[in-house]
Amino acid sequence: MALTGVTRPGHIQLRVLDLEESVEFYTNVLGLVETGRDTQGRVYFKTFEERDHHSFIIREAPEAGMDFIGFKVLNEATLDLLETGERVRFTLPTGHEMELFATKTILGNPLGDFNPKPYNPGLDHGISPVRFDHALLYGPNVNDALALLTDVLGFHLTEYVTLPETDIKGALWLACSNKAHDLAFVEHPEPGRFHHVAFLMESWERVLRAADIMSTYDVTVDIGPTRHGITRGGTIYAWDPSGNRFETFQGGLAPYPDWGPIRWDWSGLGEGGGLDVAKRVLHETFLTVLT
Ligand code: M3P
Ligand code: FE
């Protein structure tokens, strides 16, 4: 498919409780590269491989969670079509702030873009994911968010879970590309809650290496290493020092928009292995531990 309109996740900004502790964590454990700080005290990061100036931003605040998520649109003309101005920021029906942008400073990466080698020692610093991949958000009105994201912004629904004893969609996986998802939601009474930010790993071996690194640095792990039935991605869920969950994610389905969504019911999410193929339980933390 041609990527037009909204093309991909671009960045996410999280709140952390202690800035320097978090900079140390995201630099040395995750292996992200710090690319700048601004006058508001925010710290910007990219993965080693990413080209844009930043994909991950943190700021210090009394409570952890997500400030906003940004998606890249193809070009300025797309922004004009969708709204107006250089950046479009709006609140989703779930209470989350989303912004669209067309351009960002490009730093490139140390592998270069001419006859690049596949390897550089920088790739081995910490977990060192390939890129910021997706996020899972919790809030009310996920079906209104679904309508907005599909009807206006061109996302397609790849998988969903129906709430117990109903046909009502209570969890959604949405893509603006042919990834298993670029953004996901779970219905929740409190608006604007954050479940996790996911970083793409190059391989299952790199996910297992991430588990070794988590053990080395005493990172608290939530689930995994295992595979999600939903998306089929290999995964670990773990927490940063502020309690924000992050995921090291790999592989998974690459659905075309014409496939139509895969349907799961509530037992499929739990005993059916939707969340955890190996254990086949609905881990309590999945529904209750949020920032
Ligand atoms: C994901 C994710 C679940 C499947 C999730 C797949 C939670 O990549 O967003 O964590 O059932
Ligand atoms: Fe995920």
Side-chain angles (χ1 to χ4, degrees):
M1 93 196 252
L3 281 175
T4 58
V6 179
T7 61
R8 61 176 169 89
H11 52 257
I12 187 166
Q13 179 169 310
L14 298 190
R15 298 183 296 274
V16 298
L17 304 181
D18 179 320
L19 191 71
E20 287 314 319
E21 175 191 41
S22 298
V23 168
E24 146 79 23
F25 178 84
Y26 282 105
T27 305
N28 292 323
V29 182
L30 250 296
L32 303 183
V33 180
E34 183 181 329
T35 56
R37 299 196 180 203
D38 69 16
T39 50
Q40 298 170 52
R42 302 190 288 188
V43 184
Y44 294 76
F45 297 92
K46 65 188 268 301
T47 70
F48 181 87
E49 290 253 34
E50 282 170 328
R51 288 141 170 86
D52 288 355
H53 175 269
H54 59 269
S55 61
F56 187 73
I57 313 162
I58 56 174
R59 74 171 174 102
E60 189 169 285
E63 283 188 17
M66 184 188 85
D67 282 334
F68 57 83
I69 184 164
F71 278 78
K72 180 163 187 335
V73 299
L74 184 65
N75 52 27
E76 304 290 344
T78 310
L79 275 192
D80 292 341
L81 274 180
L82 292 170
E83 248 294 350
T84 166
E86 227 184 41
R87 249 163 222 274
V88 182
R89 176 84 75 93
F90 48 91
T91 308
L92 291 169
T94 51
H96 301 91
E97 295 290 305
M98 179 164 170
E99 66 179 22
L100 304 176
F101 68 97
T103 55
K104 195 183 277 182
T105 304
I106 295 171
L107 297 181
N109 74 37
L111 301 170
D113 56 9
F114 176 68
N115 293 344
K117 300 292 182 198
Y119 176 77
N120 178 297
L123 288 167
D124 281 340
H125 187 71
I127 289 171
S128 195
V130 176
R131 67 170 184 232
F132 159 46
D133 190 81
H134 66 263
L136 173 57
L137 310 178
Y138 277 43
N141 315 313
V142 297
N143 288 286
D144 295 333
L146 171 65
L148 174 71
L149 287 160
T150 54
D151 297 348
V152 182
L153 298 177
F155 284 69
H156 60 109
L157 182 66
T158 57
E159 309 203 26
Y160 65 90
V161 181
T162 51
L163 293 169
E165 317 295 330
T166 75
D167 289 330
I168 301 168
K169 298 180 181 74
L172 312 168
W173 283 259
L174 289 145
C176 57
S177 60
N178 76 324
K179 288 161 59 184
H181 61 321
D182 292 295
L183 189 57
F185 294 92
V186 170
E187 184 76 27
H188 188 77
E190 297 157 6
R193 301 304 300 272
F194 174 71
H195 188 277
H196 70 265
V197 54
F199 295 97
L200 180 71
M201 305 305 301
E202 192 176 27
S203 64
W204 178 238
E205 288 76 12
R206 293 289 287 193
V207 176
L208 297 181
R209 176 179 168 281
D212 289 343
I213 293 170
M214 290 173 194
S215 181
T216 302
Y217 288 99
D218 283 324
V219 174
T220 308
V221 171
D222 178 19
I223 298 177
T226 183
R227 186 213 276 273
H228 296 300
I230 300 171
T231 74
R232 304 252 182 98
T235 181
I236 304 171
Y237 283 163
W239 286 287
D240 83 355
S242 308
N244 292 309
R245 194 187 276 95
F246 68 95
E247 177 179 31
T248 51
F249 177 86
Q250 167 273 330
L253 294 168
Y256 291 111
D258 59 277
W259 286 7
I262 295 170
R263 183 169 61 89
W264 300 78
D265 66 9
W266 202 251
S267 70
L269 174 63
E271 304 91 83
L275 175 59
D276 184 337
V277 164
K279 284 208 159 163
R280 278 155 278 121
V281 291
L282 185 49
H283 299 258
E284 206 225 322
T285 52
F286 181 73
L287 298 175
T288 57
V289 181
L290 308 169
T291 54

